[in-house]
Amino acid sequence: MHLIENYARLPVRFVRGEGVYLYDEEGNRYLDFVSGIAVCSLGHSDPDLVEAICSQAKKLIHVSNLFENPWQEDLAGDLVREFWTEGKVFFCNSGTEANEAAIKLARKFFRDRGENRFRIVTFKNGFHGRTYGSLSATAQERFQEGFGPMLEGFDYAEVNDMDSVLKVLRDDTAGIMLEVIQGEGGVVEFDPDFLRDLQELCRERDLLLIVDEVQTGIGRTGTFYGYQNYGIDPDIITLAKGLGGGVPIGALLAREEVARSFTPGSHGSTFGGNPLACRAGLVVVRKVRTLLPRIREVGEFFKKGLEELRVGEVRGRGLMLGLDIGRDCKEVVLKALERGLIINCTAGTVLRFLPPLIVEKEHVEECLSILREVLR
Ligand SMILES: *Cc1c(COP(=O)(O)O)cnc(C)c1O
C-alpha cells in the first residue's frame, strides 16, 4: 500500500526460518534455495550467529568510525588472511557501496602517483550494483535504462574475448573489474585461461585487477573467495551479501600499496563495520571456512543432478549454480514455490540456485525431485 513498487514481489509472507527452511504465516514449510540472494550463508537462525548478535546488541550496537573499532580489526584480519598477507580492509554496508569504494580507490591510487588514469573496463552482462558508479560499471541496458547519463569512465568488453578488451583499453585506463562468475547476468563463468591472460595484461600495462566478490565470495563457489578457483591474484576485491549472514555489511580489500590511497577523511561510511555487523561477519567467516570441503562436495552432487534433468545448460561452481532452460523461467519459479521450493529466475531464462552453505545432499535431492515434477 505505502511501498514504492520497485520490486515484483511474490505473494508469500515468511515469518520464521530454521536451517535451510522458511515458514510462512500459515505454517507451510519451504526449502530455501535462494538464501535471501546469497545472503543467509549459514541458513536461518544459526544458533552461533544468533548468540553473537544478541550478546553484542546487549553490549554495544554501534560506535562511529571516529573511534577505534576492535571488531573491525578482528574481522579484517580474518578476511585478509585469505587474500594478501599485507592487505587492508574498508567496511561499508552493501555490495554497491563496496564497488563505489573500489572505483574511487582505483582513481585515487593513480592520482596519487600523478597519473591521470581513471577509466575502468567492465564486462557486458555483469552486475555491480545500483548506485551511479556501480550502475555505470554494470554493462546492461535493463539496469541503466531511464537513469542516464551514466558516470564517465567505463568501457565495456565481452566476456572471454581478449580482442574486445584490447579494443577499449586506453592510456587513461586504471583497471579492469569483473565477477569471476556473473550472478545476476545468468550464472556465466569466465574461462580460466582468459582470466589468467587478463591477469597478465594487468601486469604488463600496470592496471588494477578488481574482482567483485559480492556474490561469489565467502565460500559460495567452494573456495573462500571465488577468484581462488582460477589462480589469479587481484589487487582489490569487494564483498557483501553472504558476509554478514543476513546483517548488512560490505567490505573492500586491497593490497596495502593500493589501500594507502584512502587517507584519513578521503572516504567513509557512518554505519560501515559497526560492532554488531562485524560480530556477525566474524561468526560467518569462521564457520564458512570449516564448510568449504562440504560446499564443494554438495555442489558437485547438485550440479550432476541438474545435468541429469536434461533440460538445459548447467553453469556455475560450488553452491552458485544456474540452469538455463532456454525459455522464460518465471512460471517455473511460481510452480516450485507452490510445491514448497524457493528458487530464483535471473537473466530471463536461467534458474539460479543459491542455497545456504550448510545445505546437505538430502536437501539437494528434495530440490531436484520438486524440479523434476515442475519441469515435466
Ligand atoms: C548483489 C550484487 C551487487 C550489489 O549488492 P547490493 O548489496 O545489492 O548493493 C554487486 N555486485 C554483485 C556481483 C552482486 O551480486
Side-chain angles (χ1 to χ4, degrees), residues 94-97 99 127-129 179 184 212 214-215 240-241:
S94 67
T96 201
E97 278 176 81
N99 288 330
F127 182 80
H128 300 292
E179 309 153 78
E184 303 306 304
D212 176 347
V214 170
Q215 196 160 149
K241 289 201 166 93

Side-chain angles (χ1 to χ4, degrees), residues 56-352:
Q56 188 59 45
K58 284 179 191 160
K59 278 189 243 164
L60 184 63
I61 293 177
H62 178 85
V63 285
S64 77
N65 284 310
L66 299 170
F67 299 95
E68 287 190 1
N69 184 321
W71 303 274
Q72 285 183 17
E73 285 288 348
D74 282 350
L75 182 55
D78 264 66
L79 292 174
V80 164
R81 178 134 55 89
E82 308 282 342
F83 173 63
W84 276 71
T85 42
E86 48 13 326
K88 299 263 194 196
V89 183
F90 163 77
F91 287 107
C92 53
N93 315 283
S94 67
T96 201
E97 278 176 81
N99 288 330
E100 291 293 330
I103 295 161
K104 287 180 70 176
L105 182 60
R107 287 184 172 193
K108 182 86 165 24
F109 173 68
F110 285 104
R111 289 283 148 74
D112 289 351
R113 296 200 328 194
E115 294 178 53
N116 183 33
R117 290 165 65 176
F118 67 96
R119 304 193 71 83
I120 293 176
V121 176
T122 63
F123 289 87
K124 290 189 183 150
N125 216 32
F127 182 80
H128 300 292
R130 307 280 195 159
T131 53
Y132 270 103
S134 309
L135 183 64
S136 304
T138 296
Q140 294 199 60
E141 183 59 32
R142 67 183 166 120
F143 292 110
Q144 295 184 350
E145 201 187 345
F147 295 114
M150 290 296 117
L151 181 70
E152 206 188 322
F154 293 89
D155 299 297
Y156 306 143
E158 305 276 349
V159 172
N160 297 335
D161 179 353
M162 190 49 84
D163 285 341
S164 75
V165 176
L166 295 173
K167 215 160 84 190
V168 297
L169 272 193
R170 298 168 34 159
D171 290 342
D172 53 2
T173 302
I176 300 179
M177 176 164 160
L178 59 94
E179 309 153 78
V180 288
I181 303 174
Q182 295 182 327
E184 303 306 304
V187 194
V188 175
E189 191 172 359
F190 274 85
D191 182 55
D193 289 333
F194 176 78
L195 287 179
R196 281 189 285 273
D197 290 347
L198 213 55
Q199 169 85 76
E200 204 45 48
L201 179 75
C202 287
R203 289 218 176 102
E204 272 167 27
R205 307 269 186 117
D206 197 18
L207 300 166
L208 294 174
L209 182 58
I210 305 167
V211 179
D212 176 347
E213 292 269 357
V214 170
Q215 196 160 149
T216 51
I218 319 294
R220 180 52 58 188
T221 69
T223 48
F224 194 81
Y225 297 125
Y227 77 80
Q228 291 166 328
N229 288 300
Y230 306 89
I232 56 169
D233 207 2
D235 301 295
I236 297 175
I237 68 172
T238 55
L239 300 169
K241 289 201 166 93
L243 176 56
V247 179
I249 182 167
L252 166 143
L253 279 65
R255 269 193 307 121
E256 183 159 1
E257 184 202 356
V258 179
R260 258 184 237 133
S261 285
F262 271 167
T263 48
S266 62
H267 190 59
S269 163
T270 299
F271 291 121
N274 82 16
L276 189 77
C278 287
R279 277 289 299 277
L282 203 57
V283 172
V284 171
V285 161
R286 293 196 171 157
K287 216 159 197 179
V288 164
R289 207 174 270 131
T290 69
L291 291 170
L292 293 175
R294 207 177 81 190
I295 294 169
R296 289 193 286 273
E297 191 189 326
V298 177
E300 281 297 312
F301 176 76
F302 192 10
K303 193 167 187 180
K304 209 179 281 158
L306 289 172
E307 279 161 357
E308 280 163 7
L309 294 175
R310 299 191 193 290
V311 290
E313 191 186 17
V314 180
R315 299 192 292 260
R317 267 176 202 252
L319 293 171
M320 178 174 180
L321 297 173
L323 171 59
D324 194 336
I325 61 170
R327 61 189 159 85
D328 185 49
C329 52
K330 269 192 236 98
E331 191 68 21
V332 178
V333 169
L334 278 172
K335 290 231 167 85
L337 190 66
E338 280 167 18
R339 288 169 174 77
L341 170 67
I342 304 169
I343 51 174
N344 167 253
C345 166
T346 188
T349 63
V350 183
L351 294 173
R352 180 171 47 164

